[in-house]
CSV table of all heavy atoms in Angstrom, one decimal:
chain,number,residue,atom,x,y,z
A,197,VAL,N,-7.4,-2.0,-4.0
A,197,VAL,CA,-6.4,-2.6,-3.1
A,197,VAL,C,-5.8,-3.8,-3.8
A,197,VAL,O,-6.4,-4.5,-4.5
A,197,VAL,CB,-7.2,-3.2,-1.8
A,197,VAL,CG1,-6.2,-4.0,-0.9
A,197,VAL,CG2,-7.8,-2.1,-1.0
A,198,THR,N,-4.5,-3.8,-3.7
A,198,THR,CA,-3.7,-4.9,-4.4
A,198,THR,C,-3.3,-6.0,-3.4
A,198,THR,O,-3.8,-6.0,-2.3
A,198,THR,CB,-2.4,-4.3,-5.0
A,198,THR,OG1,-1.6,-3.7,-4.0
A,198,THR,CG2,-2.7,-3.2,-6.0
A,199,ALA,N,-2.5,-6.9,-3.8
A,199,ALA,CA,-2.1,-8.0,-3.0
A,199,ALA,C,-1.3,-7.5,-1.8
A,199,ALA,O,-0.9,-6.3,-1.7
A,199,ALA,CB,-1.2,-8.9,-3.8
A,200,PRO,N,-1.2,-8.3,-0.7
A,200,PRO,CA,-0.6,-7.9,0.5
A,200,PRO,C,0.8,-7.4,0.3
A,200,PRO,O,1.5,-7.8,-0.6
A,200,PRO,CB,-0.6,-9.1,1.3
A,200,PRO,CG,-1.7,-10.0,0.8
A,200,PRO,CD,-1.8,-9.7,-0.7
A,201,VAL,N,1.2,-6.4,1.1
A,201,VAL,CA,2.5,-5.8,1.0
A,201,VAL,C,3.5,-6.8,1.5
A,201,VAL,O,3.4,-7.4,2.6
A,201,VAL,CB,2.6,-4.5,1.8
A,201,VAL,CG1,4.0,-4.0,1.9
A,201,VAL,CG2,1.6,-3.5,1.3
A,202,THR,N,4.6,-7.0,0.8
A,202,THR,CA,5.7,-7.9,1.2
A,202,THR,C,6.9,-7.2,1.7
A,202,THR,O,7.9,-7.8,2.2
A,202,THR,CB,6.1,-8.8,0.0
A,202,THR,OG1,6.5,-8.0,-1.1
A,202,THR,CG2,4.9,-9.7,-0.3
A,203,THR,N,7.0,-5.9,1.6
A,203,THR,CA,8.1,-5.1,2.1
A,203,THR,C,7.9,-4.5,3.4
A,203,THR,O,6.7,-4.3,3.8
A,203,THR,CB,8.4,-3.9,1.1
A,203,THR,OG1,7.3,-3.1,1.0
A,203,THR,CG2,8.8,-4.4,-0.3
A,204,MET,N,8.9,-4.2,4.1
A,204,MET,CA,8.8,-3.7,5.5
A,204,MET,C,8.7,-2.2,5.4
A,204,MET,O,9.3,-1.5,4.5
A,204,MET,CB,10.1,-4.0,6.3
A,204,MET,CG,10.2,-5.5,6.6
A,204,MET,SD,8.8,-6.2,7.6
A,204,MET,CE,9.0,-5.3,9.1
A,205,PRO,N,7.9,-1.5,6.3
A,205,PRO,CA,7.8,0.0,6.2
A,205,PRO,C,9.2,0.6,6.6
A,205,PRO,O,10.0,0.0,7.2
A,205,PRO,CB,6.8,0.2,7.3
A,205,PRO,CG,6.8,-1.0,8.2
A,205,PRO,CD,7.1,-2.1,7.3
A,206,ARG,N,9.4,1.8,6.1
A,206,ARG,CA,10.6,2.6,6.4
A,206,ARG,C,10.7,2.8,7.8
A,206,ARG,O,9.7,2.8,8.6
A,206,ARG,CB,10.5,3.9,5.6
A,206,ARG,CG,10.6,3.7,4.1
A,206,ARG,CD,10.7,5.1,3.4
A,206,ARG,NE,10.0,6.2,4.1
A,206,ARG,CZ,8.9,6.7,3.6
A,206,ARG,NH1,8.3,6.2,2.5
A,206,ARG,NH2,8.3,7.7,4.3
A,207,ALA,N,11.9,3.1,8.3
A,207,ALA,CA,12.2,3.4,9.7
A,207,ALA,C,11.3,4.5,10.2
A,207,ALA,O,11.2,5.6,9.4
A,207,ALA,CB,13.6,3.7,10.0
A,208,GLY,N,10.6,4.4,11.3
A,208,GLY,CA,9.8,5.5,11.8
A,208,GLY,C,8.4,5.5,11.3
A,208,GLY,O,7.6,6.3,11.6
A,209,CYS,N,8.1,4.6,10.3
A,209,CYS,CA,6.8,4.6,9.7
A,209,CYS,C,6.0,3.3,10.2
A,209,CYS,O,6.7,2.3,10.5
A,209,CYS,CB,6.8,4.6,8.2
A,209,CYS,SG,7.5,6.1,7.5
A,210,ARG,N,4.7,3.4,10.4
A,210,ARG,CA,3.9,2.3,10.8
A,210,ARG,C,3.2,1.7,9.6
A,210,ARG,O,2.6,2.5,8.8
A,210,ARG,CB,2.9,2.8,11.9
A,210,ARG,CG,2.1,1.7,12.5
A,210,ARG,CD,1.3,2.2,13.6
A,210,ARG,NE,0.4,3.2,13.3
A,210,ARG,CZ,-0.9,2.9,13.0
A,210,ARG,NH1,-1.4,1.7,13.1
A,210,ARG,NH2,-1.7,3.9,12.7
A,211,ALA,N,3.2,0.5,9.4
A,211,ALA,CA,2.5,-0.2,8.3
A,211,ALA,C,1.0,-0.1,8.5
A,211,ALA,O,0.6,-0.4,9.6
A,211,ALA,CB,3.0,-1.6,8.1
A,212,SER,N,0.3,0.1,7.4
A,212,SER,CA,-1.2,0.1,7.5
A,212,SER,C,-1.6,-1.1,6.5
A,212,SER,O,-1.2,-1.1,5.4
A,212,SER,CB,-1.8,1.4,7.0
A,212,SER,OG,-3.1,1.2,6.7
A,213,SER,N,-2.3,-2.0,7.1
A,213,SER,CA,-2.7,-3.1,6.2
A,213,SER,C,-3.6,-2.8,5.1
A,213,SER,O,-3.6,-3.6,4.2
A,213,SER,CB,-3.4,-4.2,7.1
A,213,SER,OG,-4.6,-3.7,7.6
A,214,PHE,N,-4.2,-1.6,5.1
A,214,PHE,CA,-5.1,-1.3,4.0
A,214,PHE,C,-4.4,-0.2,3.1
A,214,PHE,O,-4.3,-0.4,1.9
A,214,PHE,CB,-6.4,-0.8,4.6
A,214,PHE,CG,-7.4,-0.2,3.6
A,214,PHE,CD1,-8.0,-1.1,2.7
A,214,PHE,CD2,-7.6,1.1,3.5
A,214,PHE,CE1,-8.8,-0.6,1.7
A,214,PHE,CE2,-8.5,1.6,2.6
A,214,PHE,CZ,-9.1,0.8,1.7
A,215,THR,N,-4.1,0.9,3.6
A,215,THR,CA,-3.7,2.0,2.8
A,215,THR,C,-2.3,1.8,2.1
A,215,THR,O,-2.1,2.3,1.0
A,215,THR,CB,-3.6,3.4,3.6
A,215,THR,OG1,-2.7,3.2,4.7
A,215,THR,CG2,-5.0,3.8,4.1
A,216,ASP,N,-1.5,0.9,2.7
A,216,ASP,CA,-0.2,0.6,2.0
A,216,ASP,C,-0.4,-0.3,0.8
A,216,ASP,O,0.5,-0.5,0.0
A,216,ASP,CB,0.7,-0.1,3.0
A,216,ASP,CG,1.2,0.9,4.1
A,216,ASP,OD1,1.1,2.1,3.8
A,216,ASP,OD2,1.8,0.4,5.1
A,217,ARG,N,-1.6,-0.9,0.6
A,217,ARG,CA,-1.8,-1.7,-0.5
A,217,ARG,C,-2.7,-1.1,-1.6
A,217,ARG,O,-3.1,-1.8,-2.5
A,217,ARG,CB,-2.5,-3.0,0.0
A,217,ARG,CG,-1.7,-3.8,0.9
A,217,ARG,CD,-2.3,-5.1,1.4
A,217,ARG,NE,-3.6,-4.8,2.1
A,217,ARG,CZ,-4.7,-5.5,2.0
A,217,ARG,NH1,-4.8,-6.4,1.2
A,217,ARG,NH2,-5.8,-5.1,2.7
A,218,ILE,N,-3.0,0.2,-1.5
A,218,ILE,CA,-3.8,0.9,-2.5
A,218,ILE,C,-2.9,1.2,-3.7
A,218,ILE,O,-1.8,1.6,-3.6
A,218,ILE,CB,-4.4,2.2,-1.9
A,218,ILE,CG1,-5.5,1.8,-0.9
A,218,ILE,CG2,-5.0,3.0,-3.1
A,218,ILE,CD1,-6.1,3.0,-0.2
A,219,ARG,N,-3.5,0.9,-4.9
A,219,ARG,CA,-2.9,1.2,-6.2
A,219,ARG,C,-3.8,2.1,-7.0
A,219,ARG,O,-5.0,1.9,-6.9
A,219,ARG,CB,-2.6,-0.1,-6.9
A,219,ARG,CG,-1.9,0.1,-8.2
A,219,ARG,CD,-1.3,-1.1,-8.8
A,219,ARG,NE,-0.8,-0.8,-10.1
A,219,ARG,CZ,-0.8,-1.6,-11.1
A,219,ARG,NH1,-1.3,-2.8,-11.0
A,219,ARG,NH2,-0.3,-1.2,-12.3
A,220,LEU,N,-3.2,3.1,-7.6
A,220,LEU,CA,-3.9,4.1,-8.4
A,220,LEU,C,-3.9,3.7,-9.9
A,220,LEU,O,-2.9,3.4,-10.4
A,220,LEU,CB,-3.3,5.5,-8.2
A,220,LEU,CG,-3.1,6.0,-6.8
A,220,LEU,CD1,-2.5,7.4,-6.8
A,220,LEU,CD2,-4.4,6.0,-6.0
A,221,PHE,N,-5.1,3.9,-10.5
A,221,PHE,CA,-5.3,3.7,-11.9
A,221,PHE,C,-5.9,5.0,-12.5
A,221,PHE,O,-7.0,5.4,-12.1
A,221,PHE,CB,-6.2,2.5,-12.2
A,221,PHE,CG,-5.7,1.2,-11.6
A,221,PHE,CD1,-6.0,0.8,-10.3
A,221,PHE,CD2,-4.9,0.4,-12.4
A,221,PHE,CE1,-5.5,-0.3,-9.8
A,221,PHE,CE2,-4.4,-0.8,-11.9
A,221,PHE,CZ,-4.7,-1.2,-10.6
A,222,GLU,N,-5.1,5.6,-13.3
A,222,GLU,CA,-5.6,6.9,-13.9
A,222,GLU,C,-6.1,6.8,-15.3
A,222,GLU,O,-5.5,6.0,-16.1
A,222,GLU,CB,-4.4,7.9,-13.9
A,222,GLU,CG,-4.9,9.3,-14.2
A,222,GLU,CD,-3.8,10.4,-14.1
A,222,GLU,OE1,-2.8,10.1,-13.4
A,222,GLU,OE2,-4.0,11.5,-14.5
A,223,PHE,N,-7.2,7.5,-15.6
A,223,PHE,CA,-7.9,7.4,-16.9
A,223,PHE,C,-8.1,8.8,-17.5
A,223,PHE,O,-8.5,9.7,-16.7
A,223,PHE,CB,-9.2,6.6,-16.8
A,223,PHE,CG,-9.1,5.3,-16.3
A,223,PHE,CD1,-9.1,5.0,-15.0
A,223,PHE,CD2,-8.8,4.2,-17.2
A,223,PHE,CE1,-9.0,3.7,-14.4
A,223,PHE,CE2,-8.6,2.9,-16.7
A,223,PHE,CZ,-8.7,2.7,-15.3
């Protein structure tokens, strides 16, 4: 989980306080 999201969700989408902040790191 990264820092809080500062952008607004797209029209018709609901913001999720958790899943919208997930960042992927691939190894």
Side-chain angles (χ1 to χ4, degrees):
V197 176
T198 60
V201 174
T202 58
T203 59
M204 295 298 295
R206 294 187 323 256
C209 294
R210 187 171 61 95
S212 168
S213 62
F214 174 70
T215 55
D216 290 343
R217 297 183 295 138
I218 290 178
R219 183 163 174 215
L220 307 179
F221 299 88
E222 187 171 347
F223 300 92

